[in-house]
Amino acid sequence: MTRALDLLALIGRGAFATLATAGQVAIFALVGLSHLLRPPFHARQFWRHFAEIAYFSLPVVALTALFTGMVLALQSHTGFSRFGAETALPSLVVLSITRELGPVLAGLMVAGRIGAAMAAEIGTMRVTDQIDALTTLSTDPMRYLVVPRLLAGTLALPPLVLVADILGVLGGFLIATLQLGFVPQGYLDATWDVLETMDVVSGLVKAAVFGFLIALMGCWCGYTSRGGAQGVGQATTRAVVAASILILAFDYVLTAAFFKQ
Amino acid sequence: MSETPKIRLRGLRKAFGEKQVLDGVDLEVRARHSMVLLGGSGSGKSVTVKCILGLIPPDEGVIEIDGQDVAKLSRRDRAALLDRTGMLFQNGALFDSLPVWENVCFKLLAQRRITRRAARDRAAEVLAQVGLAASVGDLSPAELSGGMQKRVALARAIAAQPDIIFFDEPTTGLDPIMGAVIDGLIVDCVERLGATAFSITHDMASARRIGDDAAMIHKGRIVWTGSAEALGHTGHPMVDQFANGSREGPIQMELRR
Ligand SMILES: Nc1ncnc2c1ncn2[C@@H]1O[C@H](COP(=O)(O)OP(=O)(O)OP(=O)(O)O)[C@@H](O)[C@H]1O
Ligand SMILES: [Mg+2]
């Protein structure tokens, strides 16, 4: 009996701690957003991070999308051929990529790259007094470090996901025409026919939300890290794990919101 | 002593967890004078300075600057106060994503008192004051030796010609000659620019050179204040022991416990 109560208390305490942290993160995000409305803006910082996310993540995201599209075509072909439903392949590929796989996979890859880098950089700045130094140098650290990253994350992911969408469809197209015997023109027509604006737009909105979440977790974990190199290491891990889980959770929420019947 | 002190601490207390680091610090720093704060390693010197700057919130106590309680200042006034303040951090705390010249002129650029083009020249000027060549300006902080980093950090602290300057161990890690040069620079800031300096140091020769007044912190309290010139023969057993670096004395007794 006491065992069960202990367990319950443990779960309860965990839930409270999680809620408290969520609240702190939310306040952190709101403070960051409130700075968007008032100058000064650190454009130089923004462009640095925008380039880092949008441009330097391109190879990773492009390769991920291309292979995913290829595997998707291959797998669904073996499945569909059992029911004689091969003609559904182009629609399956384009809808899965634009609605789900493009944003989610790009989000997860960027979370690994950028979320970790942000947490490590800001965490190192925290434990070496650089954040305190900013304060003494007439610069608000929230404004200088966090706001440009949040903005860059939010704005850089949609174009990245657009590229992922195109390459994912291309991957499927290549396998379907070169290996599975689809006619190129027929495949493309089928793709265009089924695709609606909403499919792409919903994916890009997801991308923007994921980009914000990645930057938010990277900044927050870095900002609150303490205790030297070990603390920074932990912050980096936490940032990637938290961003990845949030991406999957918000993916569900956004999908349910966009495509409710 | 009728003039209001530049900085006045009253009953400053701060604990980290169980550990009471500051236990009622009372201290006054005269305007346009130089104060050196002495104390053993881990006695709370850096924490005291960070409390004054508002980087660490104290648990209790009052911090007055120019006679005003900083806790009661508006955000704007607090920012204005920091605009007039310089700080050299113990570990330098240079921004490693920026070249040296941008580090040095960071505050001037942030306050838009200078263009980026002019900042390079200004950085070269200040670097020369701390004995560094203008070419150092284009390096990144990671490419510098420890002593050079310290001097760049010092240059950054004084580049905007602040009114109050905090130096957390300005000469640690420098060779004796460069240490003397830096001491001269600190004295210059006070005598020529009329700044108020608050320095932490373990180096007695340096303390006598840069300090008008001196104070010693021990176990979270100020145990002695007096003239920096008297260091070594103050008649206060703890201070004299510290200043002469002898193993025998009251501080030793407590460490053995
Ligand atoms: N952020 C912090 N969290 C927890 N404890 C801290 C923190 N900062 C300082 N301390 C503790 O406060 C005490 C005083 O630290 P402080 O840095 O002020 O020492 P100091 O007098 O500057 O020493 P030193 O001469 O070695 O620089 C130390 O015991 C340290 O462990
Ligand atoms: Mg210290």
Side-chain angles (χ1 to χ4, degrees):
Chain A
M1 187 59 202
T2 44
R3 274 268 170 82
L5 278 181
D6 280 351
L7 190 68
L8 212 62
L10 199 70
I11 295 171
R13 238 176 279 139
F16 272 123
T18 312
L19 271 181
T21 310
Q24 286 165 355
V25 175
I27 291 171
F28 185 80
L30 287 178
V31 171
L33 289 177
S34 75
H35 284 302
L36 278 178
L37 307 174
R38 286 170 287 137
F41 307 110
H42 294 281
R44 190 175 291 274
Q45 291 293 312
F46 167 78
W47 285 115
R48 183 186 138 210
H49 296 292
F50 186 85
E52 183 63 36
I53 305 173
Y55 184 71
F56 292 104
S57 303
L58 215 50
V60 185
V61 169
L63 284 175
T64 310
L66 192 70
F67 283 119
T68 305
M70 288 161 65
V71 169
L72 200 58
L74 216 52
Q75 283 283 19
S76 42
H77 184 71
T78 48
F80 283 166
S81 60
R82 292 185 198 163
F83 312 104
E86 290 94 334
T87 47
L89 193 136
S91 349
L92 178 93
V93 169
V94 72
L95 292 186
S96 319
I97 294 281
T98 53
R99 286 181 174 195
E100 278 304 324
L101 296 174
V104 170
L105 290 178
L108 293 177
M109 297 314 274
V110 172
R113 259 194 98 238
I114 302 297
M118 286 182 178
E121 189 177 349
I122 297 183
T124 305
M125 291 186 75
R126 166 61 77 197
V127 302
T128 57
D129 286 339
Q130 291 180 51
I131 295 186
D132 283 345
L134 279 174
T135 307
T136 67
L137 294 168
S138 307
T139 304
D140 183 340
M142 271 309 266
R143 196 178 271 287
Y144 183 77
L145 296 175
V146 177
V147 174
R149 284 175 170 83
L150 291 180
L151 205 59
T154 311
L155 297 181
L157 263 223
L160 205 56
V161 165
L162 202 61
V163 174
D165 286 352
I166 294 168
L167 284 171
V169 172
L170 178 72
F173 173 81
L174 288 177
I175 292 297
T177 52
L178 296 180
Q179 195 180 330
L180 305 175
F182 278 79
V183 181
Q185 194 56 49
Y187 187 97
L188 289 182
D189 288 345
T191 299
W192 273 126
D193 282 349
V194 71
L195 190 66
E196 285 174 19
T197 317
M198 191 57 184
D199 298 323
V200 178
V201 168
S202 71
L204 297 184
V205 171
K206 280 182 180 179
V209 173
F210 297 167
F212 179 80
L213 291 172
I214 292 166
L216 179 64
M217 293 325 293
C219 291
W220 194 74
C221 291
Y223 215 81
T224 53
S225 71
R226 43 191 93 266
Q230 195 188 4
V232 175
Q234 284 168 355
T236 310
T237 313
R238 269 192 298 138
V240 176
V241 172
S244 306
I245 291 176
L246 282 176
I247 285 175
L248 297 173
F250 271 76
D251 184 45
Y252 171 75
V253 174
L254 291 172
T255 307
F258 275 122
F259 299 107
K260 60 166 173 275
Q261 251 73 47
Chain B
M1 282 304 287
S2 60
E3 201 183 353
T4 32
K6 194 74 183 175
I7 305 169
R8 174 195 257 156
L9 309 179
R10 278 184 294 160
L12 204 61
R13 291 167 62 86
K14 177 72 193 177
F16 290 105
E18 294 282 279
K19 186 166 185 176
Q20 192 70 42
V21 176
L22 301 184
D23 193 12
V25 170
D26 298 296
L27 189 63
E28 291 187 5
V29 181
R30 292 188 287 162
R32 293 180 304 286
H33 283 73
S34 174
M35 160 70 83
V36 289
L37 181 61
L38 311 170
S41 206
S43 56
K45 303 182 297 296
S46 296
V47 170
T48 304
V49 166
K50 287 182 180 175
C51 283
I52 299 173
L53 285 164
L55 300 173
I56 296 179
D59 299 333
E60 262 175 66
V62 179
I63 299 164
E64 285 175 13
I65 293 183
D66 288 327
Q68 279 202 304
D69 184 347
V70 291
K72 294 190 180 129
L73 290 181
S74 67
R75 274 180 74 98
R76 183 181 298 260
D77 289 344
R78 194 180 269 260
L81 185 63
L82 281 174
D83 283 349
R84 301 190 280 116
T85 307
M87 164 79 184
L88 165 68
F89 285 85
Q90 188 169 358
N91 59 11
L94 295 174
F95 304 128
D96 30 36
S97 61
L98 300 177
V100 166
W101 70 268
E102 238 183 299
N103 265 285
V104 171
C105 289
F106 195 94
K107 190 165 192 158
L108 291 168
L109 288 166
Q111 296 177 357
R112 294 174 198 286
R113 278 158 62 182
I114 197 171
T115 62
R116 288 181 70 79
R117 182 183 297 261
R120 280 175 176 268
D121 296 336
R122 174 71 184 138
E125 251 170 60
V126 189
L127 285 173
Q129 285 185 311
V130 296
L132 291 171
S135 59
V136 171
D138 292 317
L139 300 177
S140 99
E143 296 173 282
L144 305 178
S145 75
M148 288 163 91
Q149 288 184 358
K150 192 106 209 178
R151 285 186 277 159
V152 171
L154 191 89
R156 183 176 72 178
I158 62 173
Q161 304 191 327
D163 182 31
I164 311 173
I165 323 179
F166 297 91
F167 300 100
D168 198 343
E169 306 198 3
T171 52
T172 310
L174 300 182
D175 64 73
I177 300 173
M178 192 45 75
V181 171
I182 296 304
D183 287 342
L185 191 64
I186 294 174
V187 172
D188 243 27
C189 286
V190 176
E191 287 183 353
R192 283 224 311 249
L193 303 177
T196 304
F198 188 115
S199 317
I200 295 171
T201 184
H202 290 300
D203 176 350
M204 285 310 129
S206 166
R208 282 188 210 101
R209 275 200 294 263
I210 61 180
D212 297 316
D213 307 319
M216 173 143 171
I217 186 170
H218 184 67
K219 295 206 153 175
R221 287 164 182 271
I222 301 292
V223 292
W224 173 84
T225 51
S227 151
E229 267 169 22
L231 283 172
H233 44 85
T234 60
H236 189 288
M238 223 180 247
V239 182
D240 286 350
Q241 185 202 348
F242 192 83
N244 299 323
S246 71
R247 295 177 57 172
E248 303 304 322
I251 299 179
Q252 173 92 30
M253 300 296 286
E254 285 160 19
L255 283 179
R256 271 207 198 120
R257 206 158 33 111

